[in-house]
Amino acid sequence: QVRVVESGGGLVQTGGSLRLSCAASGIRFTINHMGWYRQTPGKQRELVATISSGDTTNYADSVKGRFTISRDNAENTVYLQMNSLEPEDTAVYYCNVRRIVGGHITNNAWGQGTQVTVSS
């Protein structure tokens, strides 16, 4: 069974830190792209950070310098270290794993999300 499971969310104060984890299992395609997205009620899901199997990273401007994405390809696991959290970071965070070939997504899987709440 395909599973993409996030963990590590919770409630923190402004300026605090959280570390999110995502483990993918039962994936038959080769994952070469992993990332984190977030969604707040009333807003569309937005990209937070991505990392390729070649360790190329990409971050939303709003989290640059505060968040760090990392991976363990052998375990199909991706992490998001979140520091200096702000109330604006409050959202449900979703993990995504993909295979991208020739600029096209050929395979894609999403997790169910983990809640991050930052109090002011």
Side-chain angles (χ1 to χ4, degrees):
Q1 182 178 7
V2 174
R3 292 179 61 85
V4 180
V5 182
E6 304 97 335
S7 62
L11 173 65
V12 298
Q13 294 180 307
T14 298
S17 297
L18 284 173
R19 180 177 171 86
L20 305 184
S21 299
C22 171
S25 61
I27 306 296
R28 297 190 64 187
F29 61 86
T30 299
I31 299 169
N32 63 7
H33 196 270
M34 297 177 285
W36 292 92
Y37 297 72
R38 66 188 182 187
Q39 187 169 21
T40 301
K43 297 184 64 178
Q44 293 186 320
R45 190 172 300 183
E46 64 177 357
L47 182 148
V48 177
T50 62
I51 185 168
S52 73
S53 58
D55 287 336
T56 299
T57 58
N58 186 43
Y59 296 91
D61 288 342
S62 60
V63 307
K64 287 181 179 177
R66 300 188 298 119
F67 291 10
T68 302
I69 189 169
S70 60
R71 64 167 178 80
D72 184 342
N73 282 346
E75 302 294 332
N76 283 340
T77 303
V78 62
Y79 306 94
L80 186 69
Q81 179 66 46
M82 304 185 294
N83 298 325
S84 301
L85 283 162
E86 304 168 351
E88 292 74 19
D89 297 315
T90 295
V92 177
Y93 284 70
Y94 296 90
C95 177
N96 175 257
V97 298
R98 296 175 179 177
R99 178 169 174 79
I100 300 175
V101 179
H104 296 85
I105 300 172
T106 61
N107 304 87
N108 189 40
W110 289 90
Q112 294 178 309
T114 185
Q115 177 71 48
V116 171
T117 302
V118 184
S119 64
S120 60

